[in-house]
Amino acid sequence: MTKTILITGATDGLGRATAQKLAADGHRVIIHGRNAQKLQDTAAAIGAAGQVRADLSDLTAVARMAEQIMVDHPRIDVLINNAGVFKTQNLRTAEGHDVRFVVNTLADVLLTRRLMPVMSADARVIHLSSAAQSPVNLKALQGRAPLQDMPAYAQSKLAITLWSQHFADTSPDAPAQIAVNPGSLLATRMVREGFGTSGNDLNIGVDILMRAALSDEFAQASGRYFDNDAGRFGNRYREAMAAEVAEVIDAMVDAV
């Protein structure tokens, strides 16, 4: 069955490769990017059904993007929150928040929540997590404590994983929320710039994202975290920890 699938960060790396494969398989793919020219070029190259531009470090822009998507596309079957950042020169947004948390966590949550009206109960939301996960410093999440690149990245990835679990637990009638580590050190620009390595086969990540988005094996996986390095679902996190982090995230998103 043809699905309408929105992928953020789809003009490069894993996002683009996944979008290209999904479009080649006949799905209606809507791509997001930050650079207008790259967005246009990617849309033309893969035959995208739509394109939307926004800087995900600006949550107001994310909210506007969600509004435009709902106008142009009355139904979204799958949302793949792929966009992410590891290293960046500008660590703070205009509001004083850590860019890594904003892009890797808050933008995902805001976009997910704002698109609920056009997503059916059997839709799926795939959140890009990571094998790199560290306990979340709530002050850092709120922009009140500075972090180096790796701690910020690892904490932001655990934060979205915890939010995904908590939202699934407390919103059973909402679209499935699945956090996925697509594979460590894949051949993306983020890995090249952040770790100085060419990375592993990108198709490792493409395959698991497509399975998570479309296959029956993930149909009952809402609230779960899949570790593609291990090839299995991970253990659930403590509910109290997930709830504590999710409460802070939701409060920050509610303020947009």
Side-chain angles (χ1 to χ4, degrees):
M1 181 182 296
T2 299
K3 301 284 189 180
T4 298
I5 302 171
L6 169 62
I7 307 179
T8 66
T11 61
D12 196 6
L14 180 57
R16 176 169 176 150
T18 304
Q20 185 170 12
K21 183 64 168 65
L22 287 165
D25 286 353
H27 297 288
R28 298 184 70 256
V29 179
I30 306 159
I31 61 171
H32 154 267
R34 185 177 58 178
N35 181 285
Q37 189 61 56
K38 289 177 67 175
L39 186 61
Q40 183 176 339
D41 292 346
T42 301
I46 72 172
Q51 55 181 288
V52 59
R53 178 173 174 258
D55 181 349
L56 299 191
S57 69
D58 180 350
L59 293 181
T60 300
V62 176
R64 289 197 300 265
M65 178 177 77
E67 293 175 2
Q68 187 59 52
I69 290 169
M70 289 191 290
V71 169
D72 295 339
H73 305 279
R75 178 185 175 94
I76 301 293
D77 298 302
V78 180
L79 166 60
I80 301 178
N81 283 315
N82 164 77
V85 61
F86 177 69
K87 285 189 174 183
T88 179
Q89 290 185 336
N90 300 315
L91 298 180
R92 295 282 167 180
T93 68
E95 296 74 25
H97 296 137
D98 188 308
V99 168
R100 283 77 57 96
F101 278 108
V102 174
V103 175
N104 299 345
T105 307
L106 301 179
D108 288 6
V109 172
L110 178 58
L111 185 59
T112 298
R113 286 177 43 179
R114 292 293 176 95
L115 290 180
M116 285 291 162
V118 294
M119 301 183 75
S120 62
D122 62 352
R124 297 183 194 180
V125 181
I126 312 302
H127 301 285
L128 267 287
S129 185
S130 172
Q133 297 182 8
S134 294
V136 180
N137 180 332
L138 296 181
K139 289 184 178 180
L141 171 59
Q142 295 168 310
R144 297 189 288 120
L147 291 175
Q148 297 298 315
D149 292 326
M150 180 52 80
Y153 179 80
Q155 291 185 37
S156 70
K157 289 302 184 179
L158 178 57
I160 190 59
T161 304
L162 292 172
W163 184 88
S164 177
Q165 175 183 304
H166 181 71
F167 185 79
D169 288 349
T170 55
S171 307
D173 295 329
Q177 309 289 316
I178 306 167
V180 176
N181 163 32
S184 295
L185 298 178
L186 299 179
T188 65
R189 180 165 57 87
M190 181 190 297
V191 167
R192 291 192 298 273
E193 294 178 353
F195 298 94
T197 178
S198 59
N200 301 317
D201 184 0
L202 207 56
N203 288 316
I204 295 170
V206 172
D207 175 69
I208 190 58
L209 291 185
M210 292 189 63
R211 285 165 53 197
L214 302 170
S215 73
D216 291 341
E217 66 182 303
F218 284 83
Q220 304 301 319
S222 189
R224 303 295 303 277
Y225 161 66
F226 188 86
D227 181 0
N228 202 31
D229 291 335
R232 58 178 173 77
F233 288 100
N235 295 326
R236 285 176 51 86
Y237 290 95
R238 290 187 297 107
E239 292 182 13
M241 180 173 67
E244 181 181 41
V245 172
E247 182 179 4
V248 173
I249 292 171
D250 284 332
M252 295 178 72
V253 169
D254 285 342
V256 178

